[in-house]
Amino acid sequence: MSTCSVSKGCFVFKPSTKKRRLSDKTAHDFRCTSNDSEDTELRFVTCQSLWNQIKSETEQIQENLNKQLLDNLVSFLSRSHSEFQEKTTDWTCRMKFREIPTAALVLGVNVTDHDLTFRGLSDVLQDNITPYVALLEAKDCPGIKNLMQKLMGQLMKCDIDVDSLEDEDSVQVSQNRIRCSMPSLISWYDSVTKKTNSETPSKKRNSSSRHWQSPPVVVIFKDMESFTTKVLQDFIVISSEHIHELPLVLIFGIATSPMIIHRLLPHSVSSLLCIELFQSLSCKEHLSTIIDKLLLTSRFPFKLGEKVLQVLINIFLYHDFSVQNFIKGFQLCIVEHFYSQPLSVLCCHLADIKKRVYSLSHDQCENIRRLPSFRRYVEKQESGKQIELLTNDSFLKEETEKLLGDLHVYHENYVRILRCLHVFTSSLPKYPLGKQIRELHCACLENRVWETEEYESSLQLARMLNKTDLVTMLQQCVEILMSSSGREFDRAVEKLKEFLTQFQNLEAEASQERDVSVSPQKELQKKTDLYHLQKTLLELKESRRSKKLTKFEMLRFEVVDYIDSLVRRYLAPADERALHEIVYFNGAAVLRGHLNAAPRTALHTALNSPHWYLKNQALRCDGGGISNKAPDICIVYKLHLECGRLINLVDWLEAFSTVVMAAEEPNADAASSDQVDDVIHARFIRAVSELELLGFIKPSKQKTDHVARLTWGGC
């Protein structure tokens, strides 16, 4: 590419903006649609209602997944607290060795999901066990003094009566005046527990009946790896000295490995802890459950396309392992779909489809006719029906209702057969189609799965399964298909049950065939000389070639072929269905632009084209010019793009002054000119400092009046 410039320099050429402005074009189309469409409010309400349902379902799933972990922690606290109250032998031994009950909670590297787990744990503890729960983070506890202040601040707020604002003020005052130390904490705890025990029965029953008597003080270290060793050591040593006076329980949130406790703490300190290990559910299993409950179901009409789902899964696997971020990405897909798709008003439950279809306007009918999947559907119809679909809105609405109903039935059947196929593929030794059902789902969405090499490999491996595995798989498939509400799979269930009956009748015949197959082996063992041995081996090889399949092998082939026929019938890709664009979001490029940050590109766009973000067309300059109305840092940035490795500050200042003074009057007195020069000089220094802060330039050691350029190439 050639350039027109008097000076020699390095130039930045921006790539085509067609791809970058895809999301902006989509948003503009939606704004135009919103101005002309009366269903905008309905689309917003539908989107909001759908997300509320999905959010509620997600919270319920996460609560169920964490229930076992929380129950185990509550049981651990119960044992520790009961020993403290009863002063049992175990607790006496702990007092002697000054051991603190400690739960090591291994949550995994998905740190962004830990907050949700800790909030749930804190709520369970405060509702059922103790009101005295403190959540500590390393950023708030750089020293032991800060830790004690944070700890006592959170614990004292737990004792506030919500009906009395005066008590809250007194607690705040006492907290500010009190000395944050362990003896102060013990005296506060004693006074609070005595006050609770001396309350009237009715008041006590209303305020703390759900809590234990003398409830424990639970301290949760949310990110143990981030705490400094000295802070942890000091707190544990101090706490162990007073464990006989204060029922303290520690919970360590660990992201890596339990061995981090022994790496951070010396043996003299870790021996003061009575540690019990707790392991949370794997984040991959958590994600599989979320996908299974949200996507592989017909409860929610909204679906993700294969590329969009793959983007979300790749971000999960290769970036943060965060289920919460996956759910946020899923929410973004919902919003973007309803924002950019004018026909998303039809992305609703089956009961509402008829009402919404017959309320479509003529413009919305034209939008349906413009859908690529609908065009392919029209091309397959007879000429008379084609004319009706393209000209008659009433006929189009009837056909749309039928197609959307068929799409709903397709989803129900798809999920059932997908689960049946997963029963077979997940039991194979090499997992050609993946072990997780989400991998199989992506393969089915991408193309016709039965045309792939992985599917052929799976069939070959399935034809070598033993009888026990086959019977178990068939029983699971029968249970899956029988859970269907309709009668679509009645015939398939009967066929699978017939296979099970045939397998049960093969046992006696199989034993006889084993006896027959042993005779050539016995004859082979009798031959000792080389000639007869070679002859017998050749005969055995020929007999195996011409050997007929046993009844079990024939039945096994029949079973696999029948499963293959179900796959070919029900697992066709969704993009082959008419009107799939209404319920499927396929904007992978838009989603990737939202989720995959490109800070250098965004920074270059902001500095080189400030009108893009400021929405001010007066700052726009075509042909590579520089507007004097642009911010100073934008002017300085554009000028630095024309320079080489070293930039002369004097020349840079003169060029900046020329651009800024372009709109000034040429006839100005000397005094005002000097004042303007000082202002421009100050503006230039500030802009250059900001550019250095952003990392585009740095001071040069070769020449004091030059700076070195750090960035090259286009964005």
Side-chain angles (χ1 to χ4, degrees), residues 412-576:
E412 289 186 341
N413 299 338
Y414 174 89
V415 171
R416 300 279 184 261
I417 302 302
L418 182 71
R419 296 188 188 281
C420 290
L421 179 60
H422 180 251
V423 168
F424 278 82
T425 58
S426 61
S427 303
L428 300 178
K430 296 182 180 180
Y431 307 118
L433 287 170
K435 185 177 181 180
Q436 302 292 338
I437 194 171
R438 56 180 169 82
E439 299 172 328
L440 182 60
H441 177 53
C442 289
C444 293
L445 287 178
E446 185 177 6
N447 47 38
R448 295 181 176 180
V449 68
W450 58 85
E451 296 179 354
T452 61
E453 296 181 1
E454 293 80 6
Y455 182 79
E456 291 296 330
S457 301
S458 300
L459 289 185
Q460 293 178 5
L461 292 173
R463 292 189 176 101
M464 293 185 288
L465 293 171
N466 57 42
K467 176 187 172 183
T468 305
D469 292 340
L470 274 175
V471 170
T472 303
M473 294 175 187
L474 289 176
Q475 290 173 347
Q476 294 179 6
C477 291
V478 169
E479 294 176 0
I480 292 172
L481 297 181
M482 289 183 66
S483 63
S484 177
S485 57
R487 304 179 61 86
E488 176 73 21
F489 298 110
D490 289 350
R491 186 174 179 182
V493 171
E494 293 178 1
K495 187 67 175 178
L496 295 181
K497 288 182 177 180
E498 181 182 340
F499 287 142
L500 290 173
T501 304
Q502 293 178 14
F503 276 119
Q504 293 174 358
N505 298 331
L506 285 177
E507 190 63 33
E509 299 178 8
S511 60
Q512 295 178 0
E513 291 179 359
R514 281 197 298 268
D515 295 338
V516 173
S517 62
V518 170
S519 56
Q521 303 293 338
K522 292 182 178 179
E523 183 180 355
L524 182 62
Q525 294 174 0
K526 296 179 181 178
K527 307 299 181 182
T528 55
D529 59 283
L530 182 60
Y531 172 75
H532 287 91
L533 180 63
Q534 291 178 344
K535 182 179 179 181
T536 306
L537 287 174
L538 290 173
E539 291 176 355
L540 185 61
K541 185 177 180 181
E542 290 295 330
S543 64
R544 286 180 178 176
R545 286 181 179 178
S546 59
K547 179 183 176 181
K548 294 183 179 180
L549 295 175
T550 64
K551 290 186 178 181
F552 168 72
E553 292 173 338
M554 294 174 62
L555 184 57
R556 181 172 58 186
F557 273 67
E558 191 175 350
V559 169
V560 174
D561 291 341
Y562 184 73
I563 297 297
D564 178 46
S565 66
L566 293 178
V567 170
R568 293 172 182 270
R569 180 177 178 183
Y570 293 105
L571 292 190
D575 55 10
E576 295 183 3

Side-chain angles (χ1 to χ4, degrees), residues 110 115 126 135 173 176 198 276 306 322 397 465 484 504 519 616:
N110 50 326
D115 286 339
Q126 291 180 348
L135 289 165
V173 173
N176 294 333
S198 62
E276 187 167 338
E306 183 270 333
S322 173
K397 293 176 182 179
L465 293 171
S484 177
Q504 293 174 358
S519 56
N616 186 358

